[in-house]
Amino acid sequence: MSTIDYSEKIPNNVDLANDRTLQRALEHWQPRFLEWWKELGPNDFANSDVYLRTAVGVDAQGWAHYGTVKMPDYRWGIFLADPIADRTIGFGDSFGQPVWQQVPGEFRSQFRRLIVTQGDTEPASVEQQHRLGHTCPSLYDLRNLFQINVEEGRHLWAMVYILHAYFGRDGREEAEELLARHSGDVDKPRILGTFNEPIEDWLSFFCFCYFTDRDGKFQLKSLAESSFDPLARTCRFMLTEEAHHMFVGETGLGRIVRRTLEVMKEIGSDGPEAIRRRGAVDLPLLQRYLNFWFSSSLDLFGSEVSSNAATTFANGIKGRPDETTQYQDHVCADSSFEIEVPDGKGGIIKDASPMRNAMNEVLRDAYIRDCEIGLKRWNMQIKRAGYSFELKLPSNRFRRSIGAWANIPTDLEGRPIGREEYDRCMPGWLPSASDRDYVKSLMQRVVEPGKMAAWIAPPERGVNNLPVDYEYVRLN
Ligand code: BYC
């Protein structure tokens, strides 16, 4: 296993000290990153002591070291998973050939586009969550938010390393641009839609971690299959950190459901008004937040039929998650995939697309199945408590802005409907202004160790075997 050198200004396991030009270029970028972090990261908590996990190695045992850190002193660095000896290309036209240690010239712009898109999401999410610390429901949750923020910062470093090390001057320019675009900026927004949505409350934050970080899992797994080995290795390591972000989303939403069920039991009612009087999140309100973040995150997979997706698969640039273990045919030159598209007359038809062009949809399908798992768990909780309410994912045709269903009005089940009916029903399907006001009213900060806001149950256990009432953040 390669170890991480923490004596360096930029901790790394890529032997940066022996590449002075690259080291200088990255050391030039480092203060810009810190300036960005100070301006748009969780800057009001710069003096707080936070119980954080830092990577010390890249294997299963070595990568987690816990300790108290002030966030601006976090050791962001460059960590690649160890190489796999004699790794060969796992999919596409060059299947079976040795993987590449450099970017082939003919695929340069395709690689750069994907790496920049991936890199752009990381600082975007930190920007989206910039002010959340002020309304944390507990110190435990505050610490988890900050853990996620510093790790997204590190994931930005991961993509910036690849850009600097393998893309020369245009890579360095792209790295600057990653700090120049900002979430929600009118003139220079982030690249992908969801990363421009504000996250101003913790219900949105947990939905984002559940749905949007899960897109991260699927995209990173696809890039971890890449024939460009340094990209594959960096994504493999990023995935270990991503798992915690989804855990925060899943347990956060599960704890909200648990608290709501407790309140429903206490008051003997499932009426939203009565639940709100007790300061909890009624389940129909939760459902509307799920509808919003799920439908937005579905767009992140791109169009159902995409020539970009076909090209990146054919060229060995971006594969499918778990390409080796989940699929028999790694070339997909002759197969097809059935997709549902609008028939142009208000209905739905099935259409066969060449498999390579349908890769975005293949990923989206797998993603939807993965999203279902948490809902099943929460629905079990609800059922066990004796209620018949069921949380549901809306159809993948609902409220889409990208692809075949973009701007086609459908109901939650994905049935095409008239624009008028759609506009009329929408306030019941997505969080309304009054829903958002209510959720905002719940966002009162709780910072006494072990105490939780009234709308969320405590976690089952603390971090790294510490008790739930440990002082995970000292606010100073
Ligand atoms: N919004 O052929 P198309 C994460 C663009 S999350 C706006 O349909 P293609 C994280 C697309 O870029 C994972 N634009 O699909 C989570 C293209 O633009 P250009 C992020 C969109 O090309 C939480 C055009 O539409 N990583 O890590 O196959 C916290 C036509 O595209 C959207 C990646 O996504 C959208 N939703 O693109 C922190 C991996 N969707 O080039 C982090 C890298 C598509 O014509 N990206 N477009 O100007 C990719 O693999 C692919 O670019 C896409 C699909 C998945 C985005």
Side-chain angles (χ1 to χ4, degrees):
M1 180 200 69
S2 56
T3 48
I4 293 173
D5 185 351
Y6 271 97
S7 65
E8 291 285 326
K9 198 165 168 191
I10 300 171
N12 70 91
N13 70 345
V14 292
D15 201 14
L16 202 53
N18 278 323
D19 187 341
R20 302 297 297 170
T21 316
L22 176 60
Q23 189 178 30
R24 264 198 306 275
L26 285 165
E27 284 181 4
H28 183 69
W29 186 80
Q30 192 176 33
R32 289 159 199 244
F33 167 79
L34 288 171
E35 272 166 40
W36 165 82
W37 177 269
K38 277 185 197 144
E39 191 190 347
L40 290 169
N43 49 6
D44 297 331
F45 297 86
N47 278 325
S48 301
D49 292 307
V50 189
Y51 186 71
L52 290 178
R53 180 180 68 176
T54 308
V56 285
V58 291
D59 70 344
Q61 290 84 39
W63 70 276
H65 168 81
Y66 287 87
T68 298
V69 184
K70 289 197 191 345
M71 282 185 283
D73 301 333
Y74 188 78
R75 303 304 314 276
W76 285 285
I78 299 159
F79 316 132
L80 269 61
D82 287 332
I84 297 170
D86 304 323
R87 183 174 169 244
T88 54
I89 295 175
F91 62 94
D93 290 339
S94 304
F95 180 76
Q97 293 177 18
V99 290
W100 314 312
Q101 297 306 327
Q102 293 292 332
V103 179
E106 66 270 37
F107 303 149
R108 219 178 123 82
S109 65
Q110 291 162 30
F111 266 116
R112 197 182 60 199
R113 179 175 155 273
L114 291 184
I115 292 163
V116 166
T117 307
Q118 177 64 48
D120 191 71
T121 63
E122 315 290 1
S125 67
V126 175
E127 292 170 355
Q128 286 171 292
Q129 296 158 19
H130 168 59
R131 292 192 51 79
L132 271 185
H134 290 288
T135 55
C136 62
S138 72
L139 285 183
Y140 165 88
D141 290 292
L142 186 63
R143 177 262 165 213
N144 281 346
L145 167 71
F146 293 157
Q147 181 72 52
I148 290 175
N149 289 164
V150 294
E151 283 174 355
E152 300 300 9
R154 210 207 62 71
H155 291 183
L156 169 61
W157 268 97
M159 290 302 121
V160 165
Y161 163 70
I162 298 283
L163 287 169
H164 272 229
Y166 298 96
F167 290 85
R169 180 208 275 230
D170 34 330
R172 290 194 294 278
E173 284 170 7
E174 292 286 11
E176 299 287 325
E177 286 297 298
L178 289 174
L179 298 177
R181 285 184 293 270
H182 296 307
S183 178
D185 193 297
V186 184
D187 299 320
K188 266 186 165 252
R190 291 296 176 182
I191 296 171
L192 299 175
T194 310
F195 294 89
N196 290 302
E197 296 290 358
I199 303 179
E200 287 165 349
D201 61 75
W202 282 73
L203 182 50
S204 296
F205 171 65
F206 290 131
C207 288
F208 179 90
C209 293
Y210 188 77
F211 290 117
T212 311
D213 276 287
R214 194 172 306 275
D215 170 50
K217 166 182 162 183
F218 279 79
Q219 299 298 343
L220 288 173
K221 274 183 162 243
S222 308
L223 294 175
E225 300 290 335
S226 182
S227 315
F228 174 36
D229 204 40
L231 176 65
R233 288 171 55 205
T234 199
C235 290
R236 260 172 43 219
F237 183 65
M238 287 161 78
L239 277 161
T240 56
E241 295 173 326
E242 200 70 37
H244 172 254
H245 308 183
M246 285 180 294
F247 164 86
V248 169
E250 177 163 353
T251 53
L253 293 172
R255 287 162 55 209
I256 293 174
V257 171
R258 185 142 56 89
R259 177 64 194 142
T260 302
L261 294 171
E262 279 167 16
V263 168
M264 281 158 64
K265 197 171 166 199
E266 276 162 31
I267 61 178
S269 163
D270 59 1
E273 287 311 317
I275 292 168
R276 289 188 187 196
R277 275 196 294 279
R278 291 290 300 272
V281 176
D282 49 286
L283 297 177
L285 171 61
L286 173 59
Q287 177 68 64
R288 291 193 282 280
Y289 272 74
L290 299 182
N291 293 346
F292 179 90
W293 286 102
F294 176 65
S295 54
S296 178
S297 300
L298 285 178
D299 276 337
L300 294 172
F301 290 83
S303 306
E304 288 77 358
V305 178
S306 161
S307 58
N308 288 337
T311 312
T312 54
F313 185 86
N315 294 343
I317 294 171
K318 182 182 171 194
R320 291 166 291 187
D322 306 308
E323 182 68 48
T324 322
T325 52
Q326 290 296 310
Y327 301 94
Q328 306 272 307
D329 174 7
H330 301 297
V331 180
C332 301
D334 309 311
S335 47
S336 62
F337 189 81
E338 203 169 74
I339 50 170
E340 289 177 332
V341 290
D343 67 0
K345 296 176 275 186
I348 305 166
I349 46 164
K350 291 194 178 207
D351 202 8
S353 157
M355 180 63 89
R356 288 179 171 188
N357 293 68
M359 285 305 173
N360 288 343
E361 194 59 10
V362 170
L363 252 66
R364 189 165 21 236
D365 271 3
Y367 165 82
I368 295 170
R369 286 195 298 276
D370 209 44
C371 287
E372 296 278 6
I373 296 170
L375 274 94
K376 279 202 187 106
R377 203 165 287 152
W378 306 324
N379 283 331
M380 278 298 285
Q381 271 176 264
I382 299 170
K383 199 170 165 198
R384 265 197 239 111
Y387 295 96
S388 58
F389 190 92
E390 223 180 285
L391 295 164
K392 288 194 189 98
L393 294 178
S395 159
N396 60 1
R397 300 190 285 272
F398 173 71
R399 200 179 81 97
R400 293 291 304 282
S401 303
I402 301 276
W405 292 94
N407 303 318
I408 298 201
T410 79
D411 62 14
L412 289 172
E413 280 74 39
R415 281 184 292 264
I417 55 174
R419 172 70 56 187
E420 223 173 81
E421 186 184 352
Y422 182 75
D423 291 342
R424 189 162 28 84
C425 294
M426 205 42 127
W429 290 338
L430 295 186
S432 65
S434 75
D435 287 340
R436 289 194 185 277
D437 284 347
Y438 172 66
V439 171
K440 201 171 162 199
S441 76
L442 297 180
M443 298 297 123
Q444 308 293 335
R445 122 176 159 153
V446 177
V447 290
E448 198 179 313
K451 277 262 158 61
M452 298 287 140
W455 52 270
I456 191 162
E460 275 169 24
R461 59 188 71 86
V463 179
N464 192 29
N465 295 324
L466 289 173
V468 172
D469 63 3
Y470 182 77
E471 193 176 3
Y472 289 104
V473 182
R474 274 197 302 278
L475 290 166
N476 300 328

